[in-house]
Amino acid sequence: MFDARQGASAGTFVRAPADAVEDAVWSAKRDTDTGYGIAVFDVDPGERGGKTTITMNYYHAPGADRVPTGEYELFETVTLAKARR
């Protein structure tokens, strides 16, 4: 029986193509200086009839891939909000 996921060689597989493509302008900011950082999440449940929010602050450690450091700088902030029922 033929399996469409199987690749040309036995034991290999082919990933199915994406079923949708979108412009990801929300991911345009990239931390290319270092591969090290931390994310801090703050959750605000909000008031009844208001909004619930989650705020993520990403701090990167410049140069940490070359020399260990405990110094972090705010790099990006993202807030998600949803109406509270």
Side-chain angles (χ1 to χ4, degrees), residues 23-67:
D23 292 332
V25 295
W26 46 266
S27 68
K29 189 168 185 179
R30 297 182 62 179
D31 187 358
T32 58
D33 182 47
T34 182
Y36 299 94
I38 59 173
V40 177
F41 294 84
D42 293 310
V43 178
D44 180 359
E47 299 293 327
R48 184 173 296 215
K51 291 187 177 190
T52 296
T53 61
I54 298 175
T55 300
M56 185 275 304
N57 290 305
Y58 172 72
Y59 299 87
H60 72 149
D65 50 343
R66 295 180 289 281
V67 178

